[in-house]
Amino acid sequence: MNYTAEAPALWTPAFAELDDCQLSSDHCVVRAQHYFVKGLIEIPVIGGDEVFSWGVWVSLSRDSFSRAANLWDRPGREAEEAYFGWLTTDLPVYSPTTLNPKTNVHTRPVGALPCVELEPTDHPLAVEQRTGITPDRVREIAAAVLHSSSGEQR
């Protein structure tokens, strides 16, 4: 019920060798100019209590990234205002691309990835986040992701 991207779309394996680049399971910095946090786009599954989620990367401003990183392990961080960001994960089952929609990143308690809320547009991903998906759609996504090299099942 969860698929996740290992890195933002901008990341390449060559960056791992550079001093001004870093990739962890939750944070990413590219060339000391681009800052990313990992979060979840949660989509309710219609007819049940389950939630399908995409593990995605969101680009934040330097100030927002610094603030989020400073509070990452601090209890009470969920009281933070949402951070504005841009989705930087290309999810293989959507057209048009999921690169660069506007988002709000809502921090949750320590140990939980932030919730990524998409701007309410007519993009299929934003519509699904608002209205939910059927179990058949979950199976369709699973089949597509399992046959794609860009997704990692969790």
Side-chain angles (χ1 to χ4, degrees):
M1 293 297 286
N2 176 286
Y3 294 91
T4 190
E6 292 182 24
L10 182 63
W11 184 264
T12 67
F15 289 148
E17 305 297 321
L18 302 176
D19 291 339
D20 60 353
C21 297
Q22 175 206 4
L23 176 64
S24 72
S25 60
D26 302 321
H27 298 95
C28 180
V29 177
V30 175
R31 306 304 306 231
Q33 297 176 9
H34 305 281
Y35 305 91
F36 308 90
V37 295
K38 191 174 214 177
L40 297 174
I41 296 174
E42 296 178 331
I43 302 172
V45 178
I46 298 167
D49 294 332
E50 293 187 290
V51 173
F52 176 86
S53 61
W54 289 106
V56 297
W57 292 87
V58 176
S59 173
L60 299 179
S61 70
R62 173 188 236 168
D63 290 343
S64 292
F65 178 84
S66 293
R67 176 101 178 131
N70 288 337
L71 297 174
W72 199 255
D73 295 319
R74 239 183 241 170
R77 70 182 191 167
E78 64 274 16
E80 277 291 289
E81 292 287 322
Y83 302 109
F84 173 79
W86 300 92
L87 184 61
T88 57
T89 301
D90 189 15
L91 300 173
V93 300
Y94 294 99
S95 181
T97 182
T98 57
L99 290 174
N100 296 321
K102 295 176 182 178
T103 68
N104 282 307
V105 178
H106 300 273
T107 307
R108 294 196 255 197
V110 172
L113 286 175
C115 177
V116 177
E117 176 190 14
L118 293 161
E119 177 182 42
T121 65
D122 62 355
H123 188 283
L125 178 59
V127 171
E128 287 183 349
Q129 187 177 39
R130 286 192 313 272
T131 64
I133 57 176
T134 65
D136 285 343
R137 176 66 173 145
V138 173
R139 287 188 281 282
E140 179 185 310
I141 290 169
V145 171
L146 290 174
H147 290 95
S148 167
S149 61
S150 63
E152 175 187 294
Q153 184 175 2
R154 292 248 168 139

